[in-house]
Amino acid sequence: MVALTFDDGPSADTGALLDALGRAGARATFFLVGSRIASRDETVARIAREGSEIGSHSWDHARLTAQRSRGLPGLVRTSLAVRRAAGVRPRLFRPPYGEWSRGVWAAARRAGMRMGKWDVDPRDWESR
């Protein structure tokens, strides 16, 4: 089984990704950054409407292991933004940079999310 995932959106490229997925009859999981949702709320709604999953990738892509807040309120804030835009609640969480701690894991669980990482990193972030 292969699971396609996209991090750091929604972005200007998300619509094209959805178009390609639709042509292929495929679905993916989009791990969204909460602060980017309001400006692209129709795209977020489209992700859910077309059957792909929406996960949380934090509010602002900060290193969560460096944050002191036990509740990591950005996780809840991102979930609320997704719910407003798409009418669904994220069930998955991917920590920025793949960095997590017991505190981050516990905060995700308290927010009702399971944490997911990746097996293969295409390292596409190294070069634009």
Side-chain angles (χ1 to χ4, degrees):
M1 176 185 220
V2 173
L4 297 173
T5 64
F6 299 97
D7 292 355
D8 303 340
S11 72
D13 298 324
T14 304
L17 288 170
L18 289 167
D19 292 344
L21 290 167
R23 285 190 300 274
R27 306 283 184 271
T29 301
F30 289 81
F31 288 96
L32 304 182
V33 175
S35 63
R36 298 178 185 161
I37 291 172
S39 64
R40 299 190 188 278
D41 58 345
E42 178 49 41
T43 301
V44 175
R46 181 180 171 198
I47 292 169
R49 188 172 56 247
E50 294 183 5
S52 284
E53 177 128 20
I54 298 173
S56 174
H57 198 43
S58 82
W59 179 255
D60 56 4
H61 208 278
R63 292 192 185 292
L64 299 180
T65 53
Q67 295 184 9
R68 294 177 188 241
S69 173
R70 288 182 33 87
L72 294 171
L75 298 180
V76 173
R77 190 174 178 193
T78 299
S79 290
L80 292 172
V82 169
R83 184 153 196 146
R84 277 192 299 273
V88 298
R89 183 182 63 80
R91 297 178 301 142
L92 299 172
F93 167 69
R94 176 173 284 168
Y97 311 102
E99 296 176 358
W100 63 279
S101 64
R102 286 181 184 234
V104 170
W105 181 78
R109 290 207 28 151
R110 283 192 302 276
M113 292 181 276
R114 291 179 297 133
M115 192 166 55
K117 291 190 59 182
W118 54 86
D119 292 351
V120 177
D121 183 350
R123 304 184 73 79
D124 58 328
W125 45 267
E126 288 182 331
S127 168
R128 293 290 169 186

